[in-house]
Amino acid sequence: MARQVKCKICGEKIASDTAYCIEKINEKTGKKTRSYYCSKEEYDKDKYQKSLWKEILLLYDYILGYTCISKTKINQIKDIEENYSREQLYNCLRANADSIKMYLNQKDIYEEYGKLSYITNAIKNKIKDYSQNEQIQIGSTYEPMDCLDETDEDIFRRLEHDRSNQKETILDIIRRINGDGDK
């Protein structure tokens, strides 16, 4: 019977012979250490998420113009991650980093907290629109509109019906606003 090991990511106990194992050698001590994971996919996903995290931190530092070690930066990023994925945050930040940096430089904000808050609020304002546009481009959430199934005859009939039910034309509204209702 294989011994039980603990997954480094989720903490689940798994058999060592079925677990995905990564061996590393410590450069200072020369000792070999093993880390176990439920699967290679879980390991790759975790590695990808960690690389995104590092890139997000570097993008924040790029916008600031220096390396920021403030806990506020981490807390504000985690606040955004409550509503959006790390990948959405990274993509939005990467696409808008230069413009945020430009506007931040124009603002004359001197305190680090103020700069971090400005960056975070700029991302919060852009990420929803950016994420929706990204999904539409990818096509993962796109659903065709019902009107695409209409024939030309159906469209003309609907437009004619709308036109006949219209009580006021644009010209009537303009005349009414200008006080030319009698003409």
Side-chain angles (χ1 to χ4, degrees):
M1 182 170 147
R3 67 183 177 101
Q4 294 285 315
V5 293
K6 192 174 181 181
C7 175
K8 194 169 182 176
I9 298 169
C10 66
E12 186 177 320
K13 290 191 176 195
I14 45 177
S16 63
D17 57 344
T18 60
Y20 181 70
C21 179
I22 299 290
E23 292 184 356
K24 294 181 182 177
I25 297 175
N26 188 326
E27 292 177 9
K28 293 180 182 177
T29 62
K31 290 185 178 180
K32 187 187 295 186
T33 58
R34 293 185 179 138
S35 300
Y36 295 96
Y37 302 93
C38 291
S39 65
K40 181 172 179 7
E41 292 79 26
E42 185 178 28
Y43 169 76
D44 290 339
K45 183 179 178 183
D46 184 60
K47 190 175 177 182
Y48 175 69
Q49 290 295 321
K50 286 178 181 176
S51 70
L52 282 178
W53 180 257
K54 288 178 184 177
E55 291 295 319
I56 289 169
L57 295 177
L58 289 173
L59 282 168
Y60 260 76
D61 292 343
Y62 166 74
I63 293 170
L64 289 170
Y66 59 90
T67 302
C68 173
I69 57 172
S70 174
K71 183 75 171 163
T72 303
K73 176 172 76 171
I74 306 298
N75 292 337
Q76 289 181 351
I77 294 170
K78 287 182 179 179
D79 183 47
I80 295 172
E81 283 187 329
E82 289 177 6
N83 299 312
Y84 297 97
S85 71
R86 191 171 286 178
E87 192 169 53
Q88 289 173 318
L89 173 59
Y90 170 73
N91 288 333
C92 181
L93 192 57
R94 193 183 84 213
N96 296 294
D98 290 327
S99 63
I100 294 171
K101 183 175 184 170
M102 180 187 70
Y103 289 122
L104 181 64
N105 290 335
Q106 293 174 358
K107 290 289 180 187
D108 291 333
I109 302 172
Y110 298 105
E111 294 85 26
E112 186 172 78
Y113 179 80
K115 290 178 181 182
L116 290 171
S117 296
Y118 182 84
I119 296 168
T120 301
N121 287 324
I123 293 299
K124 284 181 179 180
N125 288 333
K126 292 177 183 276
I127 194 167
K128 182 176 183 182
D129 295 332
Y130 187 81
S131 298
Q132 288 174 345
N133 291 339
E134 183 181 77
Q135 288 175 350
I136 290 170
Q137 289 172 358
I138 293 171
S140 62
T141 60
Y142 173 75
E143 293 181 21
M145 298 186 304
D146 294 335
C147 66
L148 295 179
D149 295 335
E150 288 182 313
T151 63
D152 289 342
E153 190 175 305
D154 293 335
I155 294 171
F156 288 127
R157 198 175 310 120
R158 182 172 47 83
L159 290 174
E160 193 60 41
H161 180 267
D162 291 347
R163 200 174 300 132
S164 65
N165 286 340
Q166 190 176 24
K167 293 185 169 92
E168 279 186 308
T169 66
I170 302 266
L171 287 173
D172 293 334
I173 294 170
I174 292 171
R175 286 183 188 140
R176 188 170 40 90
I177 291 172
N178 291 334
D180 300 334
D182 299 333
K183 296 181 184 176

